[in-house]
Amino acid sequence: MFEEKIPATFIQYATDILADTKSGLSGGNIVKETAAYAVEYDVNIPHQTYPFDAPNKRTALFENLQAFSGPQQYRIIKELCDHRSFAPTGSKKRDDLKIRLVTRYQQFSGEADGADINETLIEETKHWLDQHPGALASYNSALQKYDGGVFLRNLLDDLRLSLESLLKSILGNDKSLENQLSALGKYITGNGGSKELSNMFVKLLDYYAKYQNSYVKHNEGVIEEEIEFIFEITSSFMKHLIRIGKSA
């Protein structure tokens, strides 16, 4: 029976990055890591020892990856992007690789798309953001990372940028998130919102900005269990702000 795999063209793209001559994995690490996966999955790989019988390490990694199934390839590539031998500062090429992997081949992840997030709320928010392309672009970027379960700190940053961009658009200024409190209160009451709702939104924005500063600007460890809540409260926040402006 034919077993679906990640296309060879993408595997080649991945190995060109992961086994790059200057910035990629060493030949020894390629063999060590893929051999460990081979043992775990009971798979026979062509290059089991180092030095290997291949013209270069990119070829060795490509041929070893080709021995695995699609879900196994997905997991291996995703985990190799974060290999401990890479510098903690990260790499744009590896980040782009991971994003392309999780968005194009999510079917191999073994996880439900979007996990537990409220899909109806997400679609409604995207609809309301349609007239605010800057905010929508950052929002979609956050959603893409959430679906793939990657770059949680960057995901929070995207949500912050999306909300900040929206506020700049509807409030007609270029202020940072933290400096929108007064203008936001006036916007809500000016569009028919109650004083109590205005006060609540202003207080929420204040706490939201402080939360983001802790986990994004100060690079604190993101608590994964809180991501869904932050995503949904950001979505609700933005959807309501746009709606009251439309109905005024």
Side-chain angles (χ1 to χ4, degrees):
M1 182 177 178
F2 176 73
E3 184 177 47
E4 188 178 2
K5 296 186 177 185
I6 294 176
T9 51
F10 188 86
I11 298 296
Q12 187 65 67
Y13 161 71
T15 55
D16 285 347
I17 293 172
L18 293 173
D20 180 77
T21 303
K22 295 182 179 180
S23 60
L25 296 165
S26 67
N29 275 330
I30 287 171
V31 169
K32 180 180 178 180
E33 298 302 333
T34 53
Y37 289 114
V39 171
E40 179 179 349
Y41 291 122
D42 193 22
V43 169
N44 185 37
I45 57 175
H47 305 289
Q48 304 176 16
T49 59
Y50 183 77
F52 35 65
D53 184 19
N56 52 59
K57 57 182 182 174
R58 293 189 301 278
T59 301
L61 179 56
F62 175 84
E63 292 178 350
N64 277 3
L65 283 173
Q66 287 293 74
F68 294 92
S69 69
Q72 293 164 357
Q73 292 172 326
Y74 181 96
R75 177 194 168 195
I76 294 168
I77 293 172
K78 185 177 178 182
E79 292 183 356
L80 288 181
C81 285
D82 298 318
H83 192 268
R84 58 188 175 279
S85 67
F86 291 133
T89 51
S91 156
K92 186 179 186 305
K93 287 185 177 180
R94 287 197 305 275
D95 287 352
D96 288 344
L97 166 60
K98 188 185 287 188
I99 289 174
R100 290 182 182 182
L101 174 72
V102 300
T103 53
R104 295 182 184 180
Y105 306 108
Q106 182 72 20
Q107 69 270 28
F108 293 119
S109 72
E111 302 171 355
D113 291 347
D116 300 319
I117 203 164
N118 186 325
E119 293 183 7
T120 300
L121 174 61
I122 296 302
E123 290 306 314
E124 288 179 350
T125 304
K126 290 168 67 175
H127 166 74
W128 287 105
L129 285 174
D130 191 54
Q131 300 302 314
H132 303 274
L136 179 59
S138 295
Y139 188 80
N140 281 332
S141 178
L143 184 60
Q144 190 178 68
K145 292 165 186 172
Y146 181 88
D147 285 342
V150 295
F151 312 126
L152 298 183
R153 190 180 72 82
N154 301 84
L155 184 163
L156 288 177
D157 196 25
D158 285 339
L159 287 176
R160 174 193 173 91
L161 288 172
S162 182
L163 178 56
E164 187 172 74
S165 177
L166 175 64
L167 288 175
K168 288 179 179 179
S169 177
I170 64 178
L171 299 178
N173 62 46
D174 196 39
K175 295 180 180 179
S176 65
L177 196 64
E178 299 87 342
N179 293 314
Q180 294 284 22
L181 301 181
S182 176
L184 175 62
K186 293 177 182 178
Y187 172 80
I188 293 172
T189 54
N191 284 284
S194 66
K195 181 179 179 182
E196 290 75 17
L197 181 69
S198 173
N199 290 339
M200 181 177 70
F201 263 62
V202 168
K203 183 60 70 175
L204 281 173
L205 181 63
D206 184 32
Y207 279 117
Y208 183 93
K210 289 176 180 176
Y211 180 93
Q212 289 279 6
N213 285 338
S214 294
Y215 289 104
V216 179
K217 288 188 176 181
H218 298 159
N219 201 27
E220 297 287 343
V222 177
I223 301 174
E224 189 169 351
E225 291 75 13
E226 297 176 358
I227 296 295
E228 179 188 340
F229 174 77
I230 297 300
F231 215 121
E232 292 186 353
I233 196 174
T234 306
S235 302
S236 296
F237 203 97
M238 294 194 295
K239 187 180 76 167
H240 185 74
L241 290 177
I242 299 171
R243 288 176 68 180
I244 63 173
K246 293 283 187 180
S247 60

